[in-house]
Structures are given as C-alpha cells and as structure tokens.
Amino acid sequence: MTASPAPVPLARPRRLTILGATGSIGRSTEAVILGAPGAFETVAVAGGRDAVNLARVARSLGASFAAVADPGAYAMLKGELAGSGIRAGAGPEALKEAARMEADLVVGAIAGAAGVVPTFAAIEAGRDVALANKECLVCAGEPFMRRAREKGVRVLPMDSEHNAIFQALGGESPSRLEKMWLTASGGPFRTWSAERIAAATPEQALAHPNWAMGPKVTVDSASLMNKGLELIEALHIFGIEARKLDVLVHPQSIVHGLVSFADGAVTAGMAMPDMKVPIAHCLGWPDRVPTQARRLDLAQIGSLTFEKPDLERFPALRVAMDALAAGGAMPTIMNAANEVMVAAFLDKQIRFNDIARYVEEICELFEKEGAARTPPDIEAALAVDHIVRERSRGRLDGLGR
C-alpha cells in the first residue's frame, strides 16, 4: 500500500469541550488530543460521578473547568484539583456551564438521556457539536436538529458508522442517495441459535468480539438494538428517508457504512475498528490530524463478508425499525423502554430475549393510548422519556410481584 500524505496542520489550536470525558469515547478523545501536540486546547471537561478520573483528565489536558454531574462528588473533585488552578463545578447547571463555554467544538459523549440537556445547551450557545450521544437524536432528533439549523451549528457525527457515511458521501448531498447501509458486527451472538440467545447471560452479552464499549451499548450491540438506534440517528443527521436506510451484518467491522447513488456507484467508509479514527476526523474537520490507530491492511485481512440481519433471532432490530417507520415519539418511547429493560437484564431481573419483548409491548401500549405524537421541543421529548421510564419500571415491578 502507498504511504498516506502527511496530515494538514490546523491553522490554530482548536478549542474543545468534552462532555463525557471519563467514558470510553472520552478516553479515546483524550488519546487523540495527546497524540497531536499543539493541535487542540481543552477548555472544559465534564463527567457523571467519577470525580477522580475527571480530575485526572482535566489535569492531563490542561482544562480550565471540570464539571461533575453528581453534586455529591463535588468535594472529591475539588480536592483532586487542589493546587491545579482548574475550577470545579457540580450538578446539572455546571454541566450546562461547561457546554456553553467559548469553544470551537463540543464533544457530546455523555451516555444516555442524561447527555441530551447539556449537549442541547451547547447547541443553544452556538457551539459546533461532535455527537456521540445517541439519545440526542433518538429521543429528540427533530427538535434537536431543527434548533441546530436555526443556530447555524454543525453537528458532526462521531459514531463510527455515521462518521464513515459522512466521509463516504464526499460532500455529495444525501438527497442524491438511493440507499444507505450501516454495518453491524453481529455481536457475540451472531451465529447462536434463538434458544441459546434467549438464555444468554449478561457476561456473555458483554463479551463483544470487536469493540470495547460501555455495558449498555454492548448489550444493545448483542441484541442489534444498537443498529436500530443508529438508523434513527442517520435519518436525522443526514435528512434521509427511512425507506432508504438499511443494515448489513459485517463480522470483520472494517466497512462501517456504505452509500449508493443513482448512477450505481457505491462508496464505503473503511477503517480498523478503533474509535480514534472517527474522533480524530471530527476534532480536526475539515482538516486531518494524525492518530496512532491501527492502519488497515486489506491484503492481510484477506476477505470481507456481509449478510442480512436475522430479524427472527434478533427481534430488537425489528422493533427499532418499526419505531423508525412509525416516527413521531415512537423512537423516544422505544429508546426509553429499552434503557430500562437493558438495565433490568444486567441486574438479572429479566432474560435477554425479554428485552425486545417488553420494549415492543410498551411501544404498543403508548401507540394504543395515542401518546406517540412528535414532541414539539426538547422539554416535551424528555417528558415523554421520563413517563416511559416510569411506566417501564412499573412493568418490571409488576413482574416482581
């Protein structure tokens, strides 16, 4: 393979804020920043409750402000930052303060619905966002993207699949596409029988063959729900019709996304399975910054395989695709119910195959009640999310009784 050209240096250090600095995306972001000395300046970092690691990241990157979501962790954070000159904050308002600080780009990587409000605060402040939080688009995609357009804010996709699509488009308008495919590794249960999948333990579901992720995302990957959530994200990021979106199972995780055009041409985004690649692309865009990510050697890999997803063995993907087609608040409902059921599975309250079954039941319940209209704004979407979580937990309480 021919040598790659040298990366184009950034015109000046890019100022960054990292929401979710202690998670897996945050750690990879830290590695990219440290691997490109002089390219970035970290303004603020924020995390959930891990004050010790948040302080470590703040010191490592030279941030001026660190915010922890859990007010009970404030004393620990302040103590860990003593003598550093780094200001500490805690609670929801501190997270929003971090998101609003003067920066060129805000990395939105706080996991779950907890990441919606601070990421939206960055949008309201006119900050460009590199988005790695699914819930911003799955829970509140329409109002989130509408406000980004109104504020003239760029939303750069940081998930590996959407970033691959972004690069594969090569500047083409998504309106010219015939089809868009997101790829799925198939997870740890790709070759398992339906009976074996039904009896899977949390430990087995967390043993992903290709990616190192948090527990919730890893379980979603095992059920293929993760891919359904990503289809919903793609609809909002690229403004593409639901009927043009599809999934391919690709065990090697080398091709992350593909697009086909009206003339029959197909382009693909390819890289080794390493989150530093899409992270570096977003942090440097439209320039390129170097990373230590493994380089792709197709000759060594030898072959790439693809197959259709099996919706019988992996009903969670079907449930998500139904929510995508239904639109309105159905993705919000489906996502909230899924988060509750995944947590219940990890706590060994329900079986693996119960996740999709109960999520579908809850979606059908809200549809029958006529409660699946499109939320007009972020607050309404979060209210739907809250109600669904409460009803889903009530469903679990009923099972316990």
Side-chain angles (χ1 to χ4, degrees):
M1 300 176 70
T2 57
S4 301
V8 178
L10 303 182
R12 63 170 175 81
R14 185 157 295 167
R15 297 165 300 172
L16 305 175
T17 288
I18 308 170
L19 306 179
T22 57
S24 60
I25 298 295
R27 292 192 300 272
S28 293
T29 301
E30 179 188 9
V32 170
I33 293 170
L34 294 177
F40 305 105
E41 174 190 327
T42 304
V43 175
V45 294
R49 59 178 62 91
D50 189 350
V52 174
N53 269 321
L54 184 63
R56 183 200 60 77
V57 175
R59 287 175 176 272
S60 168
L61 299 180
S64 59
F65 180 54
V68 63
D70 180 4
Y74 176 72
M76 176 67 74
L77 178 63
K78 192 168 179 61
E80 290 289 323
L81 293 175
S84 68
I86 301 170
R87 193 162 55 89
E93 289 304 316
L95 260 62
K96 288 192 280 188
E97 180 184 350
R100 293 171 180 145
M101 290 179 70
E102 192 70 36
D104 299 308
L105 185 71
V106 174
V107 175
I110 295 176
V116 176
V117 170
T119 309
F120 191 69
I123 295 286
E124 288 284 13
R127 310 290 176 243
D128 288 347
V129 170
L131 191 62
N133 170 282
K134 287 180 169 51
E135 283 70 22
C136 287
L137 299 180
V138 176
C139 174
E142 192 167 313
F144 186 92
M145 292 304 294
R146 181 176 67 245
R147 192 59 176 150
R149 289 190 295 271
E150 290 169 354
K151 299 293 288 188
V153 166
R154 293 188 183 90
V155 178
L156 300 173
M158 192 173 265
D159 273 351
S160 59
E161 293 81 4
H162 303 100
N163 186 265
I165 293 289
F166 182 50
Q167 298 203 47
L169 281 168
E172 291 270 8
S173 169
S175 64
R176 298 182 182 179
L177 295 184
E178 280 191 342
K179 194 89 170 180
M180 179 183 293
W181 292 271
L182 304 181
T183 63
S185 70
F189 306 147
R190 183 177 65 87
T191 60
W192 288 27
S193 67
E195 294 74 22
R196 193 179 173 200
I197 293 172
T201 66
E203 292 76 19
Q204 290 169 322
L206 292 172
H208 197 282
N210 296 343
W211 295 95
M213 304 173 288
K216 193 268 179 183
V217 177
T218 306
V219 172
D220 282 346
S221 183
S223 71
L224 295 194
M225 173 60 84
N226 197 45
K227 213 49 52 180
L229 298 175
E230 288 172 1
L231 291 176
I232 297 166
E233 286 183 274
L235 179 141
H236 293 294
I237 291 172
F238 300 109
I240 189 171
E241 300 165 73
R243 64 181 180 84
K244 293 184 178 181
L245 290 162
D246 209 347
V247 172
L248 279 172
V249 176
H250 169 50
Q252 295 82 19
S253 295
I254 298 299
V255 178
H256 303 289
L258 308 95
V259 292
S260 67
F261 297 93
D263 56 6
V266 177
T267 61
M270 304 171 67
M272 295 298 288
D274 188 332
M275 278 305 300
K276 288 192 288 293
V277 175
I279 289 170
H281 182 255
C282 287
L283 297 191
W285 189 87
D287 299 320
R288 297 274 181 176
V289 294
T291 75
Q292 297 302 312
R294 291 177 296 158
R295 274 23 182 188
L296 178 60
D297 186 338
L298 288 173
Q300 184 180 32
I301 292 168
S303 64
L304 302 175
T305 60
F306 302 88
E307 58 199 57
K308 290 184 177 180
D310 185 337
L311 300 184
E312 294 296 321
R313 289 187 300 128
F314 297 96
L317 177 56
R318 175 184 54 76
V319 172
M321 293 174 86
D322 288 345
L324 171 70
M330 196 53 70
T332 310
I333 294 164
M334 183 270 301
N335 176 71
N338 179 66
E339 276 206 29
V340 172
M341 295 308 163
V342 168
F345 167 69
L346 289 170
D347 287 341
K348 301 187 177 180
Q349 294 177 258
I350 62 175
R351 300 200 314 164
F352 185 77
N353 65 333
D354 289 332
I355 298 174
R357 182 159 65 90
Y358 294 148
V359 169
E360 187 168 32
E361 283 182 12
I362 291 161
C363 288
E364 290 172 351
L365 176 65
F366 276 83
E367 185 177 28
K368 286 176 184 175
E369 294 177 354
R373 292 182 296 275
T374 303
D377 51 38
I378 293 290
E379 291 76 16
L382 290 173
V384 172
D385 178 271
H386 176 75
I387 292 167
V388 175
R389 287 171 192 271
E390 290 299 308
R391 302 261 311 254
S392 299
R393 292 186 188 105
R395 176 77 172 90
L396 291 172
D397 290 342
L399 290 173
R401 287 194 295 270

